[in-house]
Amino acid sequence: KAGVTQTPRYLIKTRGQQVTLSCSPISGHRSVSWYQQTPGQGLQFLFEYFSETQRNKGNFPGRFSGRQFSNSRSEMNVSTLELGDSALYLCASSPQPSLGFGYNEQFFGPGTRLTVL
Amino acid sequence: AQKITQTQPGMFVQEKEAVTLDCTYDTSDPSYGLFWYKQPSSGEMIFLIYQGSYDQQNATEGRYSLNFQKARKSANLVISASQLGDSAMYFCAMKHSGAGSYQLTFGKGTKLSVIP
């Protein structure tokens, strides 16, 4: 069974641009979560999608948005990029929502490293 | 405010020895969950273990166990019989509710180095 795939793996953008990252979950998984990892802020939860609906959300500004398609693939978009958006963006999938009553194990992808110049 | 504290930035352990990674948390929610993740140098996060706040027994997954002390608000990870492959960053995290949904708050992490 193929794991979680994220594209692209590396990306360089300039301030003010926008970027779209893609995540394909493990086959059969309907939940996708996104995380940002930076040296300064550490790991932070962005949001979780399940069956095309945003189920859970972290404390990020509206510049960060996401969506999920009917095949469970998810995209994350960051508009008006800032230098501080440079980070490793991790995506994780699970069969059911990972956050809620109890827990469903998440499987992570390799991440997309975004550099904003 | 929800907070996770990992006080050990780095730790060393001899191969085959047991090691405890500390994690304390702060929350006013009666219902929450605690996780440990491993992140090798490759960058990919790996889920290790989960403990719900209402779980009576400490969670165990193979060589990993979570020492859950609710009154002290601690959720330490114990790795038994350390292996070289255990060298990695370890993150403690807490699931909690807020603004109508759940969130996940992470600690800063502990870098574990296993010495042969």
Side-chain angles (χ1 to χ4, degrees):
Chain A
K1 210 174 197 180
V4 178
T5 57
Q6 292 187 244
T7 56
R9 292 293 311 279
Y10 302 90
L11 202 50
I12 299 175
K13 292 285 187 179
T14 56
R15 278 180 299 175
Q17 287 187 309
Q18 75 165 14
V19 67
T20 298
L21 311 182
S22 180
C23 172
S24 293
I26 291 171
S27 178
H29 285 194
R30 294 165 59 197
S31 173
V32 173
S33 299
W34 289 90
Y35 301 84
Q36 181 198 64
Q37 187 173 25
T38 62
Q41 298 297 317
L43 268 164
Q44 297 185 85
F45 169 68
L46 279 154
F47 30 64
E48 178 179 27
Y49 285 86
F50 176 74
S51 293
E52 303 179 63
T53 301
Q54 188 179 84
R55 287 286 298 252
N56 298 294
K57 188 176 186 303
N59 296 322
F60 274 80
R63 299 187 298 109
F64 291 82
S65 63
R67 59 177 176 169
Q68 186 179 35
F69 302 96
S70 58
N71 62 358
S72 295
R73 188 178 70 86
S74 177
E75 288 183 346
M76 189 192 80
N77 184 274
V78 188
S79 62
T80 319
L81 283 167
E82 300 176 359
L83 296 180
D85 297 333
S86 294
L88 178 67
Y89 289 89
L90 293 164
C91 161
S93 78
S94 57
Q96 296 292 320
S98 64
L99 299 181
F101 183 77
Y103 174 72
N104 286 281
E105 181 177 352
Q106 290 182 310
F107 297 84
F108 285 80
T112 293
R113 186 162 295 281
L114 171 66
T115 301
V116 182
L117 303 175
Chain B
Q2 326 293 340
K3 190 177 178 181
I4 290 279
T5 303
Q6 294 181 254
T7 57
Q8 308 151 313
M11 287 191 71
F12 290 89
V13 64
Q14 204 76 38
E15 194 178 4
K16 298 180 186 177
E17 296 289 311
V19 63
T20 298
L21 306 184
D22 294 341
C23 172
T24 58
Y25 61 91
D26 190 17
T27 181
S28 55
D29 288 348
S31 178
Y32 52 90
L34 297 154
F35 307 81
W36 278 93
Y37 294 90
K38 171 184 177 181
Q39 188 176 39
S41 55
S42 61
E44 208 159 313
M45 294 284 286
I46 302 167
F47 163 78
L48 295 178
I49 199 165
Y50 170 78
Q51 177 89 37
S53 60
Y54 294 118
D55 294 341
Q56 296 296 315
Q57 295 196 334
N58 288 342
T60 302
E61 292 285 349
R63 294 186 300 111
Y64 305 105
S65 61
L66 198 153
N67 185 0
F68 182 46
Q69 298 189 47
K70 198 169 183 176
R72 298 179 64 180
K73 293 191 174 180
S74 74
N76 298 340
L77 177 70
V78 180
I79 305 175
S80 63
S82 297
Q83 302 171 356
L84 294 178
D86 293 334
S87 293
M89 283 291 291
Y90 288 81
F91 293 95
C92 180
M94 178 173 63
K95 171 189 70 169
H96 53 89
S97 59
S101 70
Y102 283 92
Q103 295 189 32
L104 200 58
T105 298
F106 289 87
K108 294 295 186 186
T110 295
K111 185 175 182 179
L112 178 66
S113 299
V114 181
I115 305 167

